[in-house]
Amino acid sequence: MSKYWNRKINEAEPYVAGEQPKNGQKVIKLNTNENPYPPSPMARAVLRSFDIADLRLYPDTNGTEFIEAVAEVEGVKPSQVFAGNGSDEVLALCFQTFFEKESNTDLPVLTPEFSYSFYPVFEKFYDIRSKKIPLREGLRLDADDYVNVPNCGIAIANPNAPTSRSIGLEDIRKILDANKDSVVIIDEAYAEFEDPFFTAVSLIDDYPNLCVVRTTSKSYSLAGLRVGYAIASEELIEGLKRARDSFNSYPTDRLAEKIAAASVLDVKYHEECIKKIIRTRTNTAEELKSMGFDVPDSSANFIFARPPRGIDAETLYLNLRAKGILVRYFKTPGINDRLRITIGTDDEMEKFIANVREEISNAKDS
Ligand SMILES: *Cc1c(COP(=O)(O)O)cnc(C)c1O
């Protein structure tokens, strides 16, 4: 609290990110869904050839080189792409642009009960009403729960975080058809890890109310660069540009624009990294299941596992942490019996599994 802060800031409940160890600290970091593999070699090539003198000049407002690269790879028009400083910023602009605050209709934004923890932060900060839709048995999202529920907008992460589960295109269509007067955000931070791959981008020409949000942070190994994007109808993209230009008209800097563009165009490298992660995900899930963990099928680069009887999630989280292995634990009732484990390299996951095995056997002995 501070007397110098306004009411909004005094009452804000900011997002708390997963722990980032200090530089030089040796840990196995499986807590913030970063990619264990380096960015595309094309990203380094950009850095080598970049003329530092260009930094004198402001960047391009739209990040044109990047949005043209996305348009090419995704088969959409550049005018259907919007770039921002990470998808967190893109999502923040979406909430401000598409959802009603302090409206006389009082309608809420619908989000899954357990989903990306930034959504409730945005809702609070922008004074938007919210309604959490419970998940079904096994953390499953049911599209029918988003039909005939009055709302001013919908935000769904697909695959969902932290559950790792996803819904298919037919379910997304059902939600879009039932909510034609609201914008439906499909946050696809992890879509690239879907096996077989699919994306709601294929629906944007059918649904002017669909806003797909993507990021280069996870599958492109560029979390440190901060480039996220939205793919949607021109009508929605225009709205996002109005919001952006009322706040910060240069969200993607000159280097970020070029590095992200080169990375997105390196389709082959991207696919190779994803294949490796999917393979490691399958192996890790099998190992955990063989130890008695409940592991829902994951469509993301993490798994959401419930330890077997005899050791609770928080104890396991703390014991692993003491050994330099970071995973994510949420205290939230309903999901506080699970750990969210990012898929690292095979080597990292072998060490993780060996340590988990040891913890489980220690717990049995005591
Ligand atoms: C990681 C994540 C993001 C944010 O990604 P940035 O582009 O790095 O800001 C958005 N949505 C979900 C569901 C995420 O897990």
Side-chain angles (χ1 to χ4, degrees):
M1 292 280 276
S2 163
K3 66 176 176 180
Y4 298 120
W5 303 347
N6 65 19
R7 179 195 60 82
K8 199 184 176 91
I9 297 300
N10 271 312
E11 290 177 3
E13 291 168 21
Y15 177 73
V16 184
E19 170 176 14
Q20 291 290 349
K22 289 185 193 71
N23 277 342
Q25 211 173 323
K26 268 258 169 253
V27 296
I28 295 181
K29 193 167 180 310
L30 309 175
N31 69 335
T32 51
N33 299 343
E34 287 140 330
N35 196 311
Y37 299 108
S40 157
M42 297 302 161
R44 184 171 296 281
V46 168
L47 277 175
R48 283 221 183 87
S49 65
F50 187 79
D51 183 357
I52 201 82
D54 284 351
L55 290 182
R56 291 180 305 113
L57 305 169
Y58 280 105
D60 176 65
T61 310
N62 293 322
T64 300
E65 197 174 325
F66 172 67
I67 64 175
E68 284 178 349
V70 170
E72 187 184 322
V73 169
E74 300 292 336
V76 298
K77 293 187 249 171
S79 54
Q80 294 172 312
V81 186
F82 174 86
N85 190 253
S87 62
D88 286 339
E89 184 188 76
V90 175
L91 288 165
L93 291 171
C94 286
F95 274 65
Q96 293 173 76
T97 305
F98 305 131
F99 300 161
E100 284 290 341
K101 44 183 151 178
E102 294 150 4
S103 79
N104 46 17
T105 58
D106 262 3
L107 293 174
V109 171
L110 312 183
T111 56
E113 180 181 10
F114 302 118
S115 193
Y116 188 35
S117 39
F118 230 129
Y119 304 153
V121 173
F122 294 142
E123 287 159 353
K124 176 108 205 297
F125 201 59
Y126 302 130
D127 293 316
I128 304 164
R129 277 176 184 273
S130 80
K131 185 181 173 87
K132 292 199 158 119
I133 308 292
L135 295 173
R136 303 286 189 100
E137 184 71 30
L139 303 171
R140 189 176 61 85
L141 189 153
D142 194 320
D144 287 331
D145 297 336
Y146 296 77
V147 173
N148 292 327
V149 185
N151 66 75
C152 71
I154 297 177
I156 291 174
N158 196 50
N160 195 14
T163 68
S164 79
R165 301 206 58 175
S166 69
I167 55 172
L169 287 186
E170 280 316 300
D171 285 331
I172 294 174
R173 268 188 195 277
K174 185 186 275 183
I175 294 169
L176 287 161
D177 281 326
N179 295 281
K180 291 215 149 129
D181 294 332
S182 303
V183 170
V184 177
I185 296 174
I186 301 292
D187 179 353
E188 291 194 340
Y190 303 102
E192 293 90 344
F193 301 102
E194 195 77 68
D195 184 27
F197 173 71
F198 69 89
T199 167
V201 168
S202 57
L203 305 177
I204 61 166
D205 287 329
D206 294 345
Y207 296 96
N209 59 326
L210 167 62
C211 186
V212 180
V213 177
R214 288 271 194 83
T215 179
T216 63
S217 295
K218 309 318 188 339
S219 71
Y220 292 99
S221 309
L222 293 173
L225 193 71
R226 312 308 303 135
V227 178
Y229 50 110
I231 304 179
S233 62
E234 287 173 3
E235 188 178 350
L236 298 193
I237 297 298
E238 274 307 311
L240 288 174
K241 288 178 181 172
R242 287 174 70 104
R244 174 197 67 200
D245 294 339
S246 307
F247 169 65
N248 170 17
S249 38
Y250 304 110
T252 44
D253 63 71
R254 279 178 174 270
L255 260 174
E257 176 188 3
K258 282 189 177 301
I259 292 174
S263 302
V264 165
L265 290 173
D266 193 354
V267 175
K268 190 160 167 282
Y269 180 82
H270 185 228
E271 281 175 0
E272 282 165 9
C273 286
I274 290 166
K275 271 205 196 109
K276 282 195 274 188
I277 290 169
I278 290 176
R279 208 179 307 132
T280 310
R281 176 178 78 196
T282 308
N283 296 341
T284 306
E286 288 310 316
E287 291 276 8
L288 288 176
K289 281 183 197 166
S290 75
M291 286 186 263
F293 279 75
D294 175 69
V295 188
D297 284 340
S298 169
S299 299
N301 67 338
F302 58 87
I303 49 186
F304 200 42
R306 187 179 61 215
R309 260 176 227 286
I311 186 156
D312 63 276
E314 188 170 20
T315 307
L316 184 55
Y317 156 74
L318 290 171
N319 291 356
L320 288 172
R321 192 173 177 281
K323 292 173 163 178
I325 300 176
L326 298 181
V327 297
R328 195 84 190 263
Y329 169 70
F330 298 93
K331 269 197 188 303
T332 321
I335 52 169
N336 58 1
D337 57 347
R338 290 178 182 270
L339 296 178
R340 195 193 68 188
I341 302 146
T342 304
I343 302 300
T345 60
D346 282 331
D347 187 48
E348 287 173 321
M349 299 324 283
E350 273 163 30
K351 289 189 179 122
F352 164 77
I353 290 291
N355 278 278
V356 170
R357 213 179 281 288
E358 199 176 299
E359 286 305 319
I360 301 240
S361 101
N362 288 349
K364 274 204 189 106
D365 296 342
S366 61

